[in-house]
Structure formats: structure tokens, C-alpha cells
Amino acid sequence: MFPTLRRTALAVAVVLPAALLGGCSLIDSGGSCDGSGAARKDLAAQKVLSSPPDGATAPANFRGVGVSTGCDDDSPGPAWLHADRVYTFPGTRRAVFDHYARTAAAQGWHSGPAPRAGAACWTRTDDGRHLVLNVDFQLDSWSPAPDPGKGIGYEVTVGSNADGGRAGVSCTD
């Protein structure tokens, strides 16, 4: 019985450090979300996320109301932090774009390229952190997809690299 126990202990002693080292190499291959809570909280506090056009509301079927945050660290480079809010609106996409163009400008955002069919973008720097603001109407990949009722659905997102750097933070990416 003791030889089996010794072999098991030896296997654990060899395999466990190898597994831990393998985990470290994954962290080094891209950015890390570790310690990003304060930065995500700052993104969630961006006033533009809570500045919808008159008549916009949260979708009735949406799993969360208000701002949600996340961190994506599954690609090379810095992790991507984001704060998101989903709305439904009884008007048109053009009315939403126009509203956010005025609101973003008033809050210090700089306009990106002209709105595409499904999204518009602005940038700014806040306390040294480079930010991107997106207004996006392409919600089909959500599960469940937000139900806009008789209106339209859209998402407002403020994102930033975890390190706050400018690399990859633009409206053309």
C-alpha cells in the first residue's frame, strides 16, 4: 500500500508544478484581467452609458438591467476591458446616432468615421486611459437576443485596453 501512495505523491509532485507553469505561459501569451476591477468600475461610471435618448428603456427580456462590465483576455496583447448597456428605442437608428453624436461631443468624445449600417464610434482619453465608445445595433449574437418590442435594440459600450494604452484603441479597428 505504501509504494502506491509514494507513486501517487510523486506523480502529483511532478504533474502539479508542470500544470502551474503551463498556466503561467497562457497568461503571458495575452493580457491579463487580474486587477482590472477598478478600471472596469471607472468604465461603468462613464456618463455616456446612462445618457440614452428620450424614450429608450431596458429590454423587457434582458437578463440584466443597467451597466455590465467584462474583460476579454483571450487574444495576444493587452486584455480588453468593457462596460456595456443595452437599450430599446421606439425611434430610428438615425435618431440614436444623432443623439449620441450630440451627447458624446458634449462629454468630450471625438467622432470617429461616419456611422456604418450597424455601429458608430467615438474616442477620448480620460485620466490617461484611452477609451472607445461604440453604439451598435447588431445584437443577433446575444443569447437571448434583447427583445426591442416594436422598436429597435442597441448596445452602448465603452472599452479600453487593460493597460490604458493607445495600441488598438481606435474607431477603425
Side-chain angles (χ1 to χ4, degrees):
M1 177 161 173
F2 288 114
T4 304
L5 183 58
R6 262 186 269 144
R7 275 186 294 224
T8 303
L10 181 60
V12 168
V14 170
V15 172
L16 186 58
L20 291 174
L21 288 174
C24 290
S25 68
L26 290 175
I27 291 171
D28 291 340
S29 69
S32 174
C33 292
D34 294 342
S36 67
R40 286 185 286 136
K41 185 176 179 181
D42 288 345
L43 292 178
Q46 290 291 316
K47 187 176 176 184
V48 71
L49 293 170
S50 299
S51 301
D54 288 339
T57 60
N61 73 323
F62 196 59
R63 64 186 172 272
V65 176
V67 177
S68 61
T69 66
C71 179
D72 303 326
D73 63 353
D74 57 351
S75 62
W80 183 253
L81 309 179
H82 52 92
D84 317 280
R85 189 150 187 187
V86 176
Y87 291 100
T88 61
F89 182 66
T92 65
R93 287 181 177 191
R94 174 53 45 201
V96 172
F97 284 140
D98 291 347
H99 168 79
Y100 282 100
R102 289 186 307 273
T103 301
Q107 294 178 15
W109 293 89
H110 306 285
S111 182
R116 299 182 316 272
C121 179
W122 297 264
T123 61
R124 73 181 254 185
T125 302
D126 186 36
D127 290 331
R129 179 171 290 280
H130 299 280
L131 307 174
V132 173
L133 164 64
N134 285 299
V135 175
D136 192 345
F137 295 92
Q138 300 172 14
L139 304 176
D140 296 339
S141 64
W142 287 62
S143 180
D147 180 4
K150 293 181 181 182
I152 57 175
Y154 71 94
E155 175 185 28
V156 181
T157 302
V158 175
S160 173
N161 286 326
D163 65 6
R166 179 181 299 271
V169 179
S170 72
C171 289
T172 58
D173 290 347

